[in-house]
Amino acid sequence: MGEPRRRLRLATALSLILFAVIGIRLVQFQLTDAPAFAAAGLKERLDEVGLPAPRGAIYDRDGAVLVKSVEARFVGVDPELVTDVRGTAVALAPLLGKAPSELEPLLQKGRQEVSGAKIRFRWLLRGLDVQTANTVKALKLNGIIVDRDERRDLPGQDLAANLIGFTGTDMNGLTGIEARFDDVLRGRNGELVYETGNGQLAKPIPGGYRKETPAQPGSSLMLTIDWDVQFQTQRILFENMQKVKAIWGATVVLDARTGELIAQASYPTFNAADPFDAKPEQLADNASSMVVDPGSVHKAIVLSAALEEGVVEPDSTIKVGPSIRKGTQTYWDSHQLPEGTKITLPGLMAFSSNVATIKIADKLGAEKLYEYQKLFGLGQPTGIGVPGESAGMLQKPEDWSGTSYGSIPIGHEMAVTPLQMAAAYAAIANDGVWIQPHLIRKTIAPDGKVTEPAPPKSHRVISPGNAAALREIMEAVTSADQATGHSAALPGYRIAGKTGTGSQVVDGKYVKGEVGSFIGMAPAEDPRYVIAVFVKTPGVGAGGKVAGPAFRDTMAFTLRHFKVLPSTVKSPDFVTHY
């Protein structure tokens, strides 16, 4: 190393190696690492904005809006940026419809309970209208955030609220159709990613990176509900429930030929535009969730089965007395006839004879009665599409006790929903064919494509001839002398139906009070609509008294609304007993 040439060669070699390393790293930076560094730098300059997908609307059968989404704004706060808590609360209070004392705690600084991190966002209000939100924004209050939101708008407020249900603040369906068809109504949010500057230049860079994933709006639903019939059904139910001091009530209006649900009302109800102030008992769809023993409206099931199995004929008579004993219980008729009296089938229905019904059921047999109960759709949900629908309960014949042979034929020791019984009567109205009640008429995609649901399930229960005979027999309920259903009679139309009095079943046990009912169809000679009214009262609630008037008024409006012509032939003159 003391030789100059050797030192020069070594220095030259070291220099070349150093330059080579530098050159290799430069090439690596230029060709290999540059994209990674560029991507990291770009990521720091990117901003993301969510593009909310509008939720689909819900329409009535004629396209009237029951519920739709409208553009709105949310107001939030970053408490760390608020400089005047009291002043901010006072300024916002009248615009947000809240008291300053309610807003102040939300504006205060705080920390997360779990992580201890500073709280940088709280909601102040969701779904604020755009004009008011712009006023809030113009105040330029420190820490206050105003941005795009969505709100469900319900023009009818409580119209069909128990069916439609409502959404949460995040636009997810919580109850009713909103919940059951949430995957159909809810769209898919999009996203806009764009490049911005830093500091005071934190704005989109013209010609910079930009990628937009468009939001996909949700599909809309058209229901079978008719706005006008639904409105009047609710009005009539409410007025009648208040007269009888009812605890709850339900009305079902079915198209007998198609199974379409024209209206379904619950009492009490709630304002679906402001649902979070409602009590739990106001939210239920009573027609599909309340479980009752049907009482005497079940007698139409017994007569249907007996006629179809040839146990009785339309002109048959049954010898009755004031009472009959089954097991450990004696069953009495409210309209008592002397022992040995021959009662006709119209008389059985008109006077709601327990004794005659039990005697016919004895001839029919438990197995056959159970078979027809299932054929009429009892003991299973209808599948109408409303969350919380009950299946009710039927007893298998092997589980019957001695008293069951008296109780079950007259509608006790079993449980049904008002909707199930309405569908059973619709089968009688529809010449013996049971059709699954349904609520959805079509689905409308965002591009306008219409999809109709699969045809409803249907099956024959009794023959057309026996259905027609039973309809005529049931006309005696509203027209025969001293019949139980005179309050349901409608001038100009022949009405076939039945009164009932039962009890509500909660957790497998009866609760205090009675459930009166009337289910009927019109015009009886060629039924178009079936209406069922069920009413829970604190005390005695005979169906003719508490449900008949509501049936009459609802049927009157429904027939008039759909321009159904009055009957041209009067009901027969019935002989009820000999």
Side-chain angles (χ1 to χ4, degrees), residues 441-445 449-453:
R441 204 173 195 191
K442 59 182 70 173
T443 302
I444 307 168
K449 182 181 178 181
V450 173
T451 303
E452 295 186 359

Side-chain angles (χ1 to χ4, degrees), residues 459-538:
H459 57 261
R460 179 164 293 284
V461 183
I462 59 177
S463 70
N466 284 328
L470 183 57
R471 292 196 298 267
E472 185 172 297
I473 289 168
M474 288 196 295
E475 287 187 65
V477 174
T478 59
S479 62
D481 187 34
Q482 300 184 53
T484 60
H486 282 178
S487 63
L490 181 59
Y493 293 91
R494 294 168 62 178
I495 303 292
K498 184 71 187 76
T499 56
T501 305
S503 301
Q504 185 178 357
V505 181
V506 178
D507 297 329
K509 297 179 181 179
Y510 291 122
V511 295
K512 287 184 65 176
E514 290 186 337
V515 180
S517 58
F518 188 91
I519 311 177
M521 58 200 73
E525 68 276 18
D526 186 19
R528 286 288 309 280
Y529 300 99
V530 168
I531 295 178
V533 181
F534 282 69
V535 183
K536 169 69 183 295
T537 55

Side-chain angles (χ1 to χ4, degrees), residues 206-470:
Y209 180 88
R210 179 185 175 93
K211 181 181 179 181
E212 181 176 350
T213 305
Q216 299 180 14
S219 295
S220 297
L221 294 175
M222 178 173 282
L223 307 185
T224 58
I225 295 293
D226 182 280
W227 177 295
D228 294 327
V229 177
Q230 179 70 34
F231 177 85
Q232 293 296 336
T233 298
Q234 288 185 207
R235 181 188 64 79
I236 293 166
L237 181 66
F238 277 45
E239 289 179 357
N240 281 273
M241 296 309 93
Q242 290 169 354
K243 287 178 182 178
V244 300
K245 296 179 172 58
I247 297 172
W248 62 261
T251 301
V252 179
V253 182
L254 284 176
D255 186 317
R257 299 174 182 177
T258 66
E260 289 182 334
L261 190 70
I262 304 301
Q264 189 157 291
S266 295
Y267 172 89
T269 188
F270 66 101
N271 180 0
D274 188 18
F276 298 105
D277 288 336
K279 298 176 182 178
E281 62 268 22
Q282 295 175 305
L283 301 177
D285 174 52
N286 295 340
S288 62
S289 65
M290 291 297 186
V291 180
V292 302
D293 60 6
S296 292
V297 291
H298 183 259
K299 290 170 182 174
I301 308 295
V302 177
L303 279 197
S304 294
L307 287 168
E308 191 68 14
E309 294 299 317
V311 170
V312 294
E313 298 294 333
D315 59 354
S316 294
T317 58
I318 300 95
K319 284 187 178 182
V320 297
S323 65
I324 187 171
R325 190 168 183 81
K326 289 292 177 181
T328 60
Q329 188 169 340
T330 300
Y331 297 86
W332 295 85
D333 276 349
S334 57
H335 188 96
Q336 295 180 13
L337 297 171
E339 191 70 45
T341 301
K342 292 181 179 180
I343 194 170
T344 65
L345 298 190
L348 180 160
M349 296 300 270
F351 303 149
S352 199
S353 173
N354 293 331
V355 175
T357 304
I358 293 169
K359 286 191 172 185
I360 291 174
D362 282 344
K363 295 180 181 180
L364 180 64
E367 290 285 352
K368 279 295 179 184
L369 178 54
Y370 179 68
E371 177 185 329
Y372 278 89
Q373 285 176 324
K374 291 192 296 182
L375 283 171
F376 273 109
L378 307 186
Q380 55 196 326
T382 66
I384 195 170
V386 180
E389 181 179 10
S390 174
M393 183 195 71
L394 295 178
Q395 288 202 60
K396 295 180 179 179
E398 57 264 31
D399 297 329
W400 286 25
S401 66
T403 57
S404 298
Y405 289 87
S407 296
I408 291 177
I410 61 174
H412 302 290
E413 291 189 25
M414 58 183 293
V416 301
T417 65
L419 180 60
Q420 286 174 336
M421 289 307 300
Y425 273 62
I428 298 169
N430 190 39
D431 284 337
V433 176
W434 182 89
I435 301 179
Q436 181 184 26
H438 53 283
L439 186 57
I440 306 301
R441 204 173 195 191
K442 59 182 70 173
T443 302
I444 307 168
D447 61 1
K449 182 181 178 181
V450 173
T451 303
E452 295 186 359
K457 297 177 182 178
S458 65
H459 57 261
R460 179 164 293 284
V461 183
I462 59 177
S463 70
N466 284 328
L470 183 57

